[in-house]
Amino acid sequence: MTDSPFTPGATRNGVREFTREEVGLANRNSGALLETLDCDITPAGTHYLLTHFDVPMLSAPDHVLEFAGAFDAPFTLSMDEIMAQPQVTQPVTLECAGNGRAGMDPRPLSMPWMYEAVGTSEWTGTPLAPLIARAKPHDSVQDFAFIGADFGYDKGVAHAFGRSLTPQDVAELDVMLVWGMNGAPLLPQHGAPLRLIVPGWYGMASVKWLTKIEALEHRYQGFQQVETYRFRACEGDPGQPVTRIHVRSLMKPPGVPDWFTRDRWVPAGRVTLSGRAWSGGGVPIERVEVLLSGDWHDAALTGRAGRYAWTGWQIDWTATPGLHELACRATDAEGNRQPLSAAQNLGGFANNSVHRVRVHVAESA
Ligand SMILES: Nc1nc2c(c(=O)[nH]1)N[C@H]1C(S)=C(S)[C@@H](COP(=O)(O)O)O[C@H]1N2
Ligand SMILES: [Mo]
């Protein structure tokens, strides 16, 4: 039965079939609906999800955040105490570092995102830096570890999901402790009752179900920090850590879909194409180009809701009957431009290759 699509390593048209494990992960971790790309803020309930283990069901009244380790004045805070801190709301575009992994060849076996692991929410919380300062970290602190309540196994290693930031990261990144999303309390799957948001970085840094912040006088060695989320060329390569989001754009699929292939159908004539573009570290988007009949054309940028939020774009296209392959690519203010095909890495991270959309144009009635 080597031609079964469920045989690990089976191929079809030269592309390896998805394994049962990948389909299982895809069923748990939903992606954004690309038709919502018109919205500055991703509608509640359509934000993508990425959860490594099981969603822990935590009780907000019982939840405490513990500051531990190399602090002179460590403390714990209840949710009431955290929510009494100065409150800020800001739109932040979150993207999973694995977005685009399914388009890599060979495809690393993990969550098989195509294009949809991105969204923008209005996050409500309080800045992290003043609370860390209040706990008085020792001068010798090298890392702050952020530990989630979720626990499980990866490659045989048991661990709670945890990530770290250096004191310099905490000072520079506008990190927030967050309890609200789009004006409502965080949902369990998005980290209720409390999560971190690290604006401008890929999503793995934004630890959900946050229970503990530990000041360490050595570098944090947690599994999710040192074993994964690194750009590695091959096994054994220590690689470079995945941090800032890479420049990227997506097109709202025009017209209507074929339900199974997701190819698009539009009538001939003028079609307004639109989408979103974003980059990491708060760097603005400078340019979005759209591939129409073999040439790149500049789209108009329609602006962003905040420093860490994606930018809208649009362009008019006169669609002629036949099959078209459209694409879009963004360039940020630091001159980073999306590649036609991104370089390979072992974990399949940060594949920001241009978004391609197949469109069938019907003769107009
Ligand atoms: N505790 C915990 N935090 C986590 C994760 C997790 O599995 N456990 N996944 C991370 C990853 S990889 C991403 S992309 C984002 C996704 O956040 P969302 O599910 O709210 O979109 O959460 C991050 N924070
Ligand atoms: Mo992620």
Side-chain angles (χ1 to χ4, degrees), residues 48-52 95-99 101 113 117 161 202-205 229 349:
Y48 84 92
L49 286 174
L50 195 296
T51 298
H52 288 71
E95 182 181 16
C96 182
N99 201 11
R101 177 183 288 122
W113 293 118
F161 187 95
Y202 281 115
M204 73 279 147
Y229 298 110
F349 296 120

Side-chain angles (χ1 to χ4, degrees), residues 147-214:
I147 311 299
D150 50 332
F151 192 94
Y153 288 77
D154 192 344
K155 299 195 168 70
V157 180
H159 59 281
F161 187 95
R163 290 279 311 179
S164 65
L165 295 171
T166 66
Q168 191 181 353
D169 294 335
V170 169
E172 291 175 356
L173 294 178
D174 295 327
V175 183
M176 297 168 75
L177 289 177
V178 160
W179 56 80
M181 185 178 182
N182 292 356
L186 277 182
L187 291 167
Q189 60 270 39
H190 288 298
L194 188 70
R195 75 177 299 170
L196 210 60
I197 287 290
V198 181
W201 279 32
Y202 281 115
M204 73 279 147
S206 294
V207 176
K208 303 192 276 191
W209 312 294
L210 186 65
T211 59
K212 185 159 114 177
I213 299 178
E214 190 170 6

Side-chain angles (χ1 to χ4, degrees), residues 66 140-141 150 178 185 341 350:
E66 181 192 356
S140 50
V141 166
D150 50 332
V178 160
S341 180

Side-chain angles (χ1 to χ4, degrees), residues 237-361:
D237 172 10
Q240 291 296 319
V242 173
T243 58
R244 260 195 192 193
I245 293 174
H246 292 193
V247 64
R248 193 181 181 109
S249 59
L250 290 177
M251 183 183 298
K252 176 187 170 180
V256 298
D258 171 68
W259 109 270
F260 188 65
T261 63
R262 308 310 297 179
D263 280 5
R264 312 301 301 186
W265 284 91
V266 305
R270 202 174 85 174
V271 182
T272 300
L273 302 172
S274 64
R276 296 276 146 188
W278 64 95
S279 192
V283 176
I285 291 298
E286 197 154 85
R287 186 175 190 195
V288 173
E289 297 158 278
V290 180
L291 186 67
L292 303 172
S293 316
D295 294 316
W296 293 96
H297 296 266
D298 278 301
L301 301 182
T302 58
R304 59 180 184 172
R307 172 158 192 244
Y308 296 107
W310 55 16
T311 299
W313 60 263
Q314 65 176 56
I315 190 169
D316 283 341
W317 172 44
T318 306
T320 53
L323 174 62
H324 299 261
E325 187 159 305
L326 308 181
C328 57
R329 72 174 174 200
T331 305
D332 72 19
E334 291 183 349
N336 303 301
R337 188 169 81 177
Q338 283 183 260
L340 296 180
S341 180
Q344 186 73 17
N345 63 81
L346 213 59
F349 296 120
N351 178 7
N352 64 339
S353 309
V354 297
H355 184 195
R356 295 183 183 278
V357 182
R358 280 160 63 88
V359 181
H360 301 270
V361 180

